[in-house]
Amino acid sequence: LGDLDASERMAAGALETAKRIGDRALESRAAMTLGSLALARDAASEALGWMQHGRQLGREVGQLRADGLFQCYVGVAQEHDGRLEEAR
């Protein structure tokens, strides 16, 4: 888990930097990274929160290609969280 911990610290730092400089596209990617890392730790509910946040930010800045990818990850997190009907 050491690598996951280090990765989470780096992604959290990227998120804070993105917020500080007002780069919502970077904030979106950092949130999605935090969601992916949470999923790797089997923390599906946390992952889902990060991924939904990242997806919403991405939509707001017009990241249409990323929106499709993010939706896929949201579905994976929903499945891991036992929300099978929503994951469809």
Side-chain angles (χ1 to χ4, degrees):
L1 287 177
D3 290 341
L4 284 177
D5 291 341
S7 296
E8 283 183 325
R9 284 191 300 274
M10 291 175 68
L15 181 70
E16 290 306 313
T17 298
K19 287 179 179 181
R20 187 176 66 250
I21 65 174
D23 187 334
R24 293 178 64 79
L26 177 59
E27 187 179 345
S28 172
R29 290 190 301 275
M32 288 302 295
T33 299
L34 286 165
S36 296
L37 292 166
L39 196 57
R41 287 189 289 101
D42 291 325
S45 292
E46 179 185 346
L48 189 54
W50 281 118
M51 291 177 178
Q52 288 173 329
H53 178 65
R55 184 171 184 224
Q56 180 61 39
L57 287 171
R59 282 186 192 155
E60 291 172 10
V61 297
Q63 291 182 325
L64 300 180
R65 183 181 64 84
D67 185 50
L69 179 62
F70 291 172
Q71 178 57 35
C72 176
Y73 286 123
V74 166
V76 170
Q78 288 170 328
E79 181 181 27
H80 282 265
D81 199 32
R83 298 161 68 173
L84 301 180
E85 197 59 37
E86 291 176 69
R88 290 181 166 207

